[in-house]
Amino acid sequence: MGLLDGRFTINDIFELLTFVGFFYYIIKRFVLKQPPIPAAALRKIDREKLRSALALLYKNKKVPGGAYTIPPQLSGELERNLHDPELLRRLMCDIAAHVGIDGSRIKLKFKDDATLEYAGNISTNGAFTTINLQTHDYYNLDVLTAILAHEVMHLYLYYNGIRFSDTLSNEVLTDTAAVFFGFGEYLRRGYKVIEVNLGFSYHKVGYIRPEDVEFILSEIQGKKWIVNLF
């Protein structure tokens, strides 16, 4: 560094900022015991927004689905070889079949790019559908199942014309629908904050939190508020 001989360059500034950032992380993580949780993990979804999503599903004459469970043989194969493209495709097709969609018509593509903002996304024009799935090595089976369930629910809602006008409400609706149709346990486990790089960074998928999944499940089970909607 040029500080010792009176010179201060742009590289010195970057080095100093890196040092300050690392020092801040050490203080926050190990002294204050505050892990650097991503903002998405802290975002709270208003309970009324979740209720509105449920109400929209019920108003479209939808009935909650039975709990989804990955077939035991497929689950065992995935536990041994989680990132096998063919196994993940079979998982996607099984998830789609659970909600009455023919998964054979869906193209599944794989990414492992930390610079991309999405864990999964979907594009469709009605005839051709593609799901892009991130397969980071820190994603376990619950995470990948939750992501695939979310993307398949996008397609289900699209086919049935169920949507909100703004993007965030629509994403919350999609997660709510995934819980509604039986994927709640996978979202509850898969949407937890993931510790990456020995705690130097954290990652989370999904638009809702495990606490929100539990709230949705309790609302579905109770159904006491539904009588006021009709």
Side-chain angles (χ1 to χ4, degrees), residues 60 62 92 96-97 99-107 122-131 151-163 170 173-174 181:
N60 280 272
K62 301 305 174 186
M92 182 269 295
V99 294
I101 294 175
D102 181 2
S104 66
R105 298 177 179 274
I106 303 173
K107 186 174 184 179
I122 187 170
S123 60
T124 184
N125 61 8
F128 301 99
T129 299
T130 299
I131 290 177
E151 300 309 328
V152 168
M153 288 316 307
H154 267 304
L155 188 60
Y156 177 90
L157 296 173
Y158 171 76
Y159 283 161
N160 287 275
I162 303 172
R163 67 184 307 275
N170 221 38
L173 169 64
T174 305
F181 286 108

Side-chain angles (χ1 to χ4, degrees), residues 196-212:
V196 183
N197 298 325
L198 300 177
F200 279 85
S201 61
Y202 288 76
H203 183 78
K204 181 189 177 302
V205 304
Y207 289 83
I208 61 177
R209 302 169 301 157
E211 302 95 307
D212 299 320

Side-chain angles (χ1 to χ4, degrees), residues 82-196:
L82 182 56
H83 294 141
D84 180 89
E86 183 55 36
L87 293 177
L88 288 171
R89 175 163 181 76
R90 283 170 53 192
L91 175 60
M92 182 269 295
C93 288
D94 195 65
I95 289 171
H98 183 75
V99 294
I101 294 175
D102 181 2
S104 66
R105 298 177 179 274
I106 303 173
K107 186 174 184 179
L108 186 59
K109 292 184 176 181
F110 303 95
K111 302 279 187 181
D112 185 7
D113 187 347
T115 66
L116 298 176
E117 295 182 355
Y118 64 81
N121 67 14
I122 187 170
S123 60
T124 184
N125 61 8
F128 301 99
T129 299
T130 299
I131 290 177
N132 293 299
L133 176 68
Q134 291 269 32
T135 55
H136 300 313
D137 57 8
Y138 47 83
Y139 283 178
N140 62 25
L141 181 54
D142 287 330
V143 174
L144 292 175
T145 303
I147 296 170
L148 287 171
H150 176 93
E151 300 309 328
V152 168
M153 288 316 307
H154 267 304
L155 188 60
Y156 177 90
L157 296 173
Y158 171 76
Y159 283 161
N160 287 275
I162 303 172
R163 67 184 307 275
F164 285 121
S165 57
D166 68 284
T167 300
L168 178 58
S169 294
N170 221 38
E171 294 293 354
V172 170
L173 169 64
T174 305
D175 273 343
T176 302
V179 178
F180 188 86
F181 286 108
F183 302 100
E185 283 304 307
Y186 289 101
L187 266 68
R188 185 178 64 80
R189 297 190 299 263
Y191 279 9
K192 291 180 179 179
V193 175
I194 304 168
E195 183 177 299
V196 183

Side-chain angles (χ1 to χ4, degrees), residues 1-3 5-14 16:
M1 184 177 285
L3 289 174
D5 55 13
R7 291 181 291 109
F8 196 72
T9 68
I10 188 66
N11 288 333
D12 295 332
I13 295 175
F14 287 136
L16 182 60

